[in-house]
Amino acid sequence: MSMPSIPSRAEHLEAWRESGGKVCAAFPAQYPKELLWAHGVLPVEVWDPPLAATRAPGHLQPYICSVVRQGLELLLAGAGDSVDLILFPHTCDSLQNLASLVGDYLKPAAPSLFFYNPKAPFKAPAREFYLDQLHALDRQLAGLFGPRAQGALEQALEWSRALAALHAKAYKMRALGELAAGAGEFYAVLRAGEYLHPTALIPLLEGWLAQSAGSASAGERIVLSGVLPGPPDLLESLDVLGLVVGNDDLLSMSRRLLTSPPGTGEPLAALGEVFLHMPPCSTRGSSLEERLAWIKGLAGQSKSKGVVFVEVKFCEPELFDLPELRRGLKEAGLPSLVLEVDVNQAAGGQAATRLEAFREMMA
Amino acid sequence: MSLSDKAKLQFMKDLGFPALASLQKAMRGKRAPRKANPDFGPPLKCTARLKEIMTRHYYLARFAPGAKPVAWVTSGAPVELLRALDFYTIYPENHGALCGAQKMGPELCQVAEDEGYSADLCSYARVDLGHMLSGKTPAGKLPKPDLLFCSNNICQTVAYWYKVMAHRLGVPLVMFDTPFNYTEISQDDIDYMVGQVKDMIPVLEKAAGKAFDMERFIQVAELSRAASELWGQCLETMKARPAPMTIFDAFVHLAPVVSLRGLPVAREYYEILLAELLDRARSGIGAITNEKKRLMWDNIAIWYKVRDFSELFASRGMNFVAATYTNAWAETIQHLDMSQPLESLAKTYSLVILNNNLEHRLNLMAKMVSEYAVDGLVVHSARSCKPYSLGQYDLKRLLSERLGIPAVVIEADITDYRYFSEEQALTRLEAFFEALEAA
């Protein structure tokens, strides 16, 4: 199968702006993108901009993770003045302080908004609070860009349901070995959702899934866990070494892409259900028991024999969970491997060597 | 709870610990007194009482299981809820500081790292996990908790850390989620926090085996308020010139307001400390003998360097008279209002420095510089503490520009001295001293 043609970030943004659309730089991880769409704002996610970090180190200590560093680098390189909005969801201490650093000290031209995600367990007060947060964000967006058009949120929820269904289909086909796409292709296509508007993303995914039905490559199947799929050379290594990603537990991917809003009820309440029903995640306060059961389930569904954790260096929420997850997986007969990466640097030959040894151990 | 365990704890309170304290006092009396350092004024008399209180707390802790429900608690959690249910509380962060001061940080961190915990994680957490895995502690023995109580008002790290402990120890974790104040606190935030408190009370009652009594809670909250206010007044005595204590003293005398807040002993302790400090201020007795420059500290202490830094700065005639860290247990207590107990509890705990935006911190520090007549700022960039440290480079720049005072950043860690370079720190400090002396 050949890789579909995906508009680049720059091309898509240019076309979007030419049509009069607004742009929001959205920092990781979970936020109600449907609300932005409903206000005519395109969220463009900031996970791992490929920039040399030259300005950000003047503001951040070396022990701050590369997601935060690269995100700040992007803002300092001019994005902070060229977008219409910067949105910081509450994900971890570092992103929390980055939000305040940008909003209070660096003050780019674009306004900054903050969105607090309550932490599990999601009992009644958390549900009510999350809904309050959605209403507050809706008001803030209306203040910046005018009230949303009638029916716009309902339309956004429709897009969201369609996308969740397409993502779920892609994940199911991959888990069953019915998707003829390697890790590099799979994530290149799905990560287009970090900047494409649903009207462009939905047909892209539909076309790609229709084209890609077929047998997956043979190889040892694994679950990929961590924050992001990558760096790119690591995905290439997986494909070259015959390590087949059968499923993933990635913060930027399955932990947030597969949850669909319910088709009934008040639209903002339906949107609230998306966040509350996302899979277990280190950043949302999920217990280790939940996370372990979830990852074991992912391995079972995809007949994966092991788990590769690709962790961003200094990422506290992920690193705290690791030892107990690995211990639980080992007890379940699932070996695991940990690779620590910086998002803007190649994983390198050493990572490839370790992956190769891991594959041989699983075989 | 068993009657025999209760009787044992009571016996240790009434007879066991007093006997031990007498013995220790007698042994101390036999030791040759430490040679007085001419750079310092007379030591605080209260220090002996502080040592006794904290030793008693850790000593009796080992007899608490079975006699009282035991909780491990984060330093910023609303402990008044637990006190009202008669929990015996242990503060792993306070224990971490103790391990750091005793230079046990790297040893305990290594135990956690050998178990797979990254060396990039907070060293308080690694020390605590290392203690849990090895049983090693300078405090004798810590009791296993019946419950873990955590609030993310100081960091998200504690939520990750306590989650691991709950999993390993098989005990319930109660989490108090305090939305970060990116701007002002909102009524939605307060309602959310109050809702959580109402939800957690039955869980706490179950672990305690008794019913929550609002009257008792209000009594405890009043004690807590009194201790925090007194602590704030103790800190304010450092506005005097010369200041009657240093921040290095305050780092140590902070222990009761962190660990024993809501108990009568904390209030009583700060009453005597305040009296002594006021007396010293009136008499012109300084913590250091030649106070030429007054400094402010930002971030948690470098526990293994407290004494060395104390001596280094005193030898230059420099005294730390203010710190954002020590101030944290006093700065929000005015919000505690017993006519609205739960709402005001939520505000008190949510508005602490680390749950507040960086503009708040900048303004607070500028105010402290002015009120305490600060001449220079020392910023500890603590590898362990992201919410305290991320933003400090700009904070230092802005404060220096706004107030025209010299400032320096020291890269270090709170307990793990493997991440401290003495040479690099001294080089930076020498340049700082020069700038300060030239100012």
mmCIF file of all heavy atoms in Angstrom, chain A residues 128-156:
data_model
loop_
_atom_site.group_PDB
_atom_site.id
_atom_site.type_symbol
_atom_site.label_atom_id
_atom_site.label_comp_id
_atom_site.label_asym_id
_atom_site.label_seq_id
_atom_site.Cartn_x
_atom_site.Cartn_y
_atom_site.Cartn_z
ATOM 1 N N GLU A 128 -19.454 17.508 37.546
ATOM 2 C CA GLU A 128 -20.060 18.848 37.534
ATOM 3 C C GLU A 128 -19.004 19.907 37.215
ATOM 4 O O GLU A 128 -19.248 20.836 36.457
ATOM 5 C CB GLU A 128 -20.710 19.151 38.890
ATOM 6 C CG GLU A 128 -22.000 18.391 39.125
ATOM 7 C CD GLU A 128 -22.429 18.434 40.582
ATOM 8 O OE1 GLU A 128 -22.073 19.391 41.285
ATOM 9 O OE2 GLU A 128 -23.103 17.473 41.007
ATOM 10 N N PHE A 129 -17.843 19.731 37.826
ATOM 11 C CA PHE A 129 -16.772 20.705 37.609
ATOM 12 C C PHE A 129 -16.342 20.713 36.145
ATOM 13 O O PHE A 129 -16.123 21.779 35.552
ATOM 14 C CB PHE A 129 -15.584 20.372 38.515
ATOM 15 C CG PHE A 129 -14.384 21.243 38.290
ATOM 16 C CD1 PHE A 129 -14.381 22.559 38.717
ATOM 17 C CD2 PHE A 129 -13.260 20.758 37.640
ATOM 18 C CE1 PHE A 129 -13.287 23.378 38.504
ATOM 19 C CE2 PHE A 129 -12.159 21.561 37.416
ATOM 20 C CZ PHE A 129 -12.172 22.875 37.856
ATOM 21 N N TYR A 130 -16.216 19.524 35.573
ATOM 22 C CA TYR A 130 -15.785 19.458 34.169
ATOM 23 C C TYR A 130 -16.793 20.175 33.273
ATOM 24 O O TYR A 130 -16.420 20.922 32.364
ATOM 25 C CB TYR A 130 -15.588 18.006 33.722
ATOM 26 C CG TYR A 130 -14.911 17.922 32.379
ATOM 27 C CD1 TYR A 130 -13.543 18.126 32.245
ATOM 28 C CD2 TYR A 130 -15.649 17.700 31.216
ATOM 29 C CE1 TYR A 130 -12.920 18.084 31.014
ATOM 30 C CE2 TYR A 130 -15.040 17.665 29.973
ATOM 31 C CZ TYR A 130 -13.673 17.852 29.876
ATOM 32 O OH TYR A 130 -13.052 17.833 28.651
ATOM 33 N N LEU A 131 -18.061 19.972 33.558
ATOM 34 C CA LEU A 131 -19.098 20.647 32.778
ATOM 35 C C LEU A 131 -19.003 22.168 32.962
ATOM 36 O O LEU A 131 -19.145 22.934 31.994
ATOM 37 C CB LEU A 131 -20.478 20.119 33.204
ATOM 38 C CG LEU A 131 -21.655 20.473 32.295
ATOM 39 C CD1 LEU A 131 -21.400 20.042 30.854
ATOM 40 C CD2 LEU A 131 -22.936 19.802 32.803
ATOM 41 N N ASP A 132 -18.745 22.590 34.198
ATOM 42 C CA ASP A 132 -18.539 24.025 34.451
ATOM 43 C C ASP A 132 -17.369 24.564 33.620
ATOM 44 O O ASP A 132 -17.412 25.679 33.095
ATOM 45 C CB ASP A 132 -18.233 24.280 35.932
ATOM 46 C CG ASP A 132 -19.436 24.022 36.832
ATOM 47 O OD1 ASP A 132 -20.574 24.093 36.329
ATOM 48 O OD2 ASP A 132 -19.231 23.740 38.025
ATOM 49 N N GLN A 133 -16.307 23.760 33.547
ATOM 50 C CA GLN A 133 -15.134 24.162 32.761
ATOM 51 C C GLN A 133 -15.488 24.326 31.288
ATOM 52 O O GLN A 133 -15.017 25.248 30.625
ATOM 53 C CB GLN A 133 -14.034 23.106 32.903
ATOM 54 C CG GLN A 133 -13.395 23.039 34.263
ATOM 55 C CD GLN A 133 -12.464 24.207 34.465
ATOM 56 O OE1 GLN A 133 -11.378 24.262 33.910
ATOM 57 N NE2 GLN A 133 -12.904 25.184 35.208
ATOM 58 N N LEU A 134 -16.306 23.404 30.791
ATOM 59 C CA LEU A 134 -16.721 23.500 29.383
ATOM 60 C C LEU A 134 -17.530 24.771 29.139
ATOM 61 O O LEU A 134 -17.317 25.476 28.151
ATOM 62 C CB LEU A 134 -17.551 22.268 28.992
ATOM 63 C CG LEU A 134 -16.793 20.945 28.888
ATOM 64 C CD1 LEU A 134 -17.777 19.806 28.606
ATOM 65 C CD2 LEU A 134 -15.755 21.001 27.768
ATOM 66 N N HIS A 135 -18.440 25.058 30.048
ATOM 67 C CA HIS A 135 -19.239 26.278 29.899
ATOM 68 C C HIS A 135 -18.340 27.516 29.950
ATOM 69 O O HIS A 135 -18.532 28.462 29.176
ATOM 70 C CB HIS A 135 -20.297 26.354 31.015
ATOM 71 C CG HIS A 135 -21.505 25.501 30.738
ATOM 72 N ND1 HIS A 135 -22.449 25.824 29.785
ATOM 73 C CD2 HIS A 135 -21.917 24.328 31.284
ATOM 74 C CE1 HIS A 135 -23.393 24.892 29.752
ATOM 75 N NE2 HIS A 135 -23.091 23.965 30.649
ATOM 76 N N ALA A 136 -17.377 27.489 30.858
ATOM 77 C CA ALA A 136 -16.478 28.649 30.986
ATOM 78 C C ALA A 136 -15.654 28.829 29.705
ATOM 79 O O ALA A 136 -15.497 29.958 29.215
ATOM 80 C CB ALA A 136 -15.561 28.468 32.197
ATOM 81 N N LEU A 137 -15.140 27.725 29.169
ATOM 82 C CA LEU A 137 -14.354 27.815 27.931
ATOM 83 C C LEU A 137 -15.240 28.306 26.783
ATOM 84 O O LEU A 137 -14.806 29.125 25.964
ATOM 85 C CB LEU A 137 -13.734 26.450 27.598
ATOM 86 C CG LEU A 137 -12.858 26.410 26.340
ATOM 87 C CD1 LEU A 137 -11.659 27.346 26.456
ATOM 88 C CD2 LEU A 137 -12.367 24.978 26.053
ATOM 89 N N ASP A 138 -16.454 27.832 26.737
ATOM 90 C CA ASP A 138 -17.401 28.265 25.705
ATOM 91 C C ASP A 138 -17.590 29.791 25.783
ATOM 92 O O ASP A 138 -17.570 30.487 24.761
ATOM 93 C CB ASP A 138 -18.735 27.537 25.943
ATOM 94 C CG ASP A 138 -19.643 27.585 24.722
ATOM 95 O OD1 ASP A 138 -19.132 27.789 23.597
ATOM 96 O OD2 ASP A 138 -20.875 27.426 24.892
ATOM 97 N N ARG A 139 -17.740 30.296 26.993
ATOM 98 C CA ARG A 139 -17.918 31.750 27.171
ATOM 99 C C ARG A 139 -16.651 32.508 26.754
ATOM 100 O O ARG A 139 -16.715 33.558 26.125
ATOM 101 C CB ARG A 139 -18.249 32.071 28.632
ATOM 102 C CG ARG A 139 -19.670 31.691 29.052
ATOM 103 C CD ARG A 139 -20.019 32.311 30.399
ATOM 104 N NE ARG A 139 -19.161 31.859 31.485
ATOM 105 C CZ ARG A 139 -19.371 30.755 32.214
ATOM 106 N NH1 ARG A 139 -20.427 29.992 31.974
ATOM 107 N NH2 ARG A 139 -18.548 30.417 33.177
ATOM 108 N N GLN A 140 -15.498 31.949 27.135
ATOM 109 C CA GLN A 140 -14.234 32.626 26.789
ATOM 110 C C GLN A 140 -14.048 32.675 25.266
ATOM 111 O O GLN A 140 -13.623 33.695 24.722
ATOM 112 C CB GLN A 140 -13.055 31.897 27.433
ATOM 113 C CG GLN A 140 -12.984 32.116 28.938
ATOM 114 C CD GLN A 140 -11.951 31.199 29.600
ATOM 115 O OE1 GLN A 140 -11.854 30.016 29.273
ATOM 116 N NE2 GLN A 140 -11.202 31.737 30.522
ATOM 117 N N LEU A 141 -14.365 31.578 24.613
ATOM 118 C CA LEU A 141 -14.220 31.546 23.152
ATOM 119 C C LEU A 141 -15.204 32.511 22.499
ATOM 120 O O LEU A 141 -14.865 33.195 21.524
ATOM 121 C CB LEU A 141 -14.443 30.117 22.626
ATOM 122 C CG LEU A 141 -13.352 29.106 23.011
ATOM 123 C CD1 LEU A 141 -13.774 27.683 22.639
ATOM 124 C CD2 LEU A 141 -12.027 29.450 22.323
ATOM 125 N N ALA A 142 -16.403 32.567 23.049
ATOM 126 C CA ALA A 142 -17.395 33.512 22.513
ATOM 127 C C ALA A 142 -16.906 34.944 22.698
ATOM 128 O O ALA A 142 -17.084 35.790 21.815
ATOM 129 C CB ALA A 142 -18.735 33.305 23.208
ATOM 130 N N GLY A 143 -16.255 35.196 23.825
ATOM 131 C CA GLY A 143 -15.717 36.540 24.082
ATOM 132 C C GLY A 143 -14.626 36.906 23.088
ATOM 133 O O GLY A 143 -14.493 38.060 22.687
ATOM 134 N N LEU A 144 -13.846 35.913 22.679
ATOM 135 C CA LEU A 144 -12.741 36.188 21.755
ATOM 136 C C LEU A 144 -13.180 36.196 20.291
ATOM 137 O O LEU A 144 -12.708 37.010 19.500
ATOM 138 C CB LEU A 144 -11.650 35.111 21.928
ATOM 139 C CG LEU A 144 -10.819 35.173 23.208
ATOM 140 C CD1 LEU A 144 -10.003 33.892 23.368
ATOM 141 C CD2 LEU A 144 -9.878 36.382 23.175
ATOM 142 N N PHE A 145 -14.051 35.251 19.955
ATOM 143 C CA PHE A 145 -14.364 35.049 18.528
ATOM 144 C C PHE A 145 -15.849 35.226 18.188
ATOM 145 O O PHE A 145 -16.254 34.953 17.075
ATOM 146 C CB PHE A 145 -13.908 33.645 18.101
ATOM 147 C CG PHE A 145 -12.466 33.362 18.413
ATOM 148 C CD1 PHE A 145 -12.106 32.402 19.348
ATOM 149 C CD2 PHE A 145 -11.456 34.094 17.791
ATOM 150 C CE1 PHE A 145 -10.765 32.148 19.651
ATOM 151 C CE2 PHE A 145 -10.117 33.849 18.088
ATOM 152 C CZ PHE A 145 -9.766 32.881 19.016
ATOM 153 N N GLY A 146 -16.621 35.623 19.158
ATOM 154 C CA GLY A 146 -18.059 35.763 18.915
ATOM 155 C C GLY A 146 -18.782 34.460 19.234
ATOM 156 O O GLY A 146 -18.160 33.394 19.328
ATOM 157 N N PRO A 147 -20.109 34.548 19.410
ATOM 158 C CA PRO A 147 -20.861 33.339 19.766
ATOM 159 C C PRO A 147 -20.818 32.310 18.634
ATOM 160 O O PRO A 147 -20.716 32.667 17.468
ATOM 161 C CB PRO A 147 -22.281 33.863 19.993
ATOM 162 C CG PRO A 147 -22.340 35.174 19.294
ATOM 163 C CD PRO A 147 -20.958 35.731 19.278
ATOM 164 N N ARG A 148 -20.870 31.062 19.032
ATOM 165 C CA ARG A 148 -20.856 30.012 17.994
ATOM 166 C C ARG A 148 -22.190 29.998 17.258
ATOM 167 O O ARG A 148 -23.228 30.338 17.828
ATOM 168 C CB ARG A 148 -20.527 28.655 18.598
ATOM 169 C CG ARG A 148 -21.391 28.188 19.725
ATOM 170 C CD ARG A 148 -20.879 26.851 20.266
ATOM 171 N NE ARG A 148 -21.231 26.633 21.653
ATOM 172 C CZ ARG A 148 -22.379 26.134 22.072
ATOM 173 N NH1 ARG A 148 -23.319 25.817 21.198
ATOM 174 N NH2 ARG A 148 -22.619 25.952 23.357
ATOM 175 N N ALA A 149 -22.111 29.582 16.014
ATOM 176 C CA ALA A 149 -23.322 29.547 15.185
ATOM 177 C C ALA A 149 -24.274 28.463 15.688
ATOM 178 O O ALA A 149 -23.839 27.459 16.278
ATOM 179 C CB ALA A 149 -22.931 29.259 13.741
ATOM 180 N N GLN A 150 -25.551 28.677 15.451
ATOM 181 C CA GLN A 150 -26.529 27.676 15.875
ATOM 182 C C GLN A 150 -26.238 26.341 15.181
ATOM 183 O O GLN A 150 -26.012 26.299 13.963
ATOM 184 C CB GLN A 150 -27.933 28.155 15.518
ATOM 185 C CG GLN A 150 -28.991 27.386 16.274
ATOM 186 C CD GLN A 150 -30.362 28.022 16.126
ATOM 187 O OE1 GLN A 150 -30.546 28.952 15.344
ATOM 188 N NE2 GLN A 150 -31.319 27.526 16.876
ATOM 189 N N GLY A 151 -26.245 25.302 15.950
ATOM 190 C CA GLY A 151 -26.007 23.964 15.395
ATOM 191 C C GLY A 151 -24.539 23.626 15.208
ATOM 192 O O GLY A 151 -24.189 22.504 14.835
ATOM 193 N N ALA A 152 -23.636 24.595 15.486
ATOM 194 C CA ALA A 152 -22.205 24.342 15.239
ATOM 195 C C ALA A 152 -21.652 23.283 16.180
ATOM 196 O O ALA A 152 -20.820 22.454 15.789
ATOM 197 C CB ALA A 152 -21.419 25.641 15.374
ATOM 198 N N LEU A 153 -22.085 23.309 17.426
ATOM 199 C CA LEU A 153 -21.557 22.312 18.366
ATOM 200 C C LEU A 153 -22.097 20.924 18.028
ATOM 201 O O LEU A 153 -21.357 19.930 18.103
ATOM 202 C CB LEU A 153 -21.904 22.700 19.814
ATOM 203 C CG LEU A 153 -21.305 21.805 20.882
ATOM 204 C CD1 LEU A 153 -19.785 21.679 20.756
ATOM 205 C CD2 LEU A 153 -21.642 22.326 22.285
ATOM 206 N N GLU A 154 -23.353 20.868 17.638
ATOM 207 C CA GLU A 154 -23.928 19.571 17.235
ATOM 208 C C GLU A 154 -23.150 19.014 16.042
ATOM 209 O O GLU A 154 -22.847 17.823 15.983
ATOM 210 C CB GLU A 154 -25.413 19.742 16.873
ATOM 211 C CG GLU A 154 -26.331 20.011 18.064
ATOM 212 C CD GLU A 154 -26.297 21.459 18.562
ATOM 213 O OE1 GLU A 154 -25.542 22.281 18.009
ATOM 214 O OE2 GLU A 154 -27.028 21.771 19.523
ATOM 215 N N GLN A 155 -22.814 19.893 15.098
ATOM 216 C CA GLN A 155 -22.029 19.466 13.935
ATOM 217 C C GLN A 155 -20.646 18.965 14.376
ATOM 218 O O GLN A 155 -20.164 17.936 13.902
ATOM 219 C CB GLN A 155 -21.882 20.637 12.952
ATOM 220 C CG GLN A 155 -20.947 20.365 11.788
ATOM 221 C CD GLN A 155 -21.412 19.236 10.883
ATOM 222 O OE1 GLN A 155 -22.380 19.371 10.159
ATOM 223 N NE2 GLN A 155 -20.743 18.098 10.949
ATOM 224 N N ALA A 156 -20.032 19.700 15.315
ATOM 225 C CA ALA A 156 -18.704 19.302 15.793
ATOM 226 C C ALA A 156 -18.769 17.935 16.470
ATOM 227 O O ALA A 156 -17.856 17.106 16.324
ATOM 228 C CB ALA A 156 -18.163 20.353 16.763
#
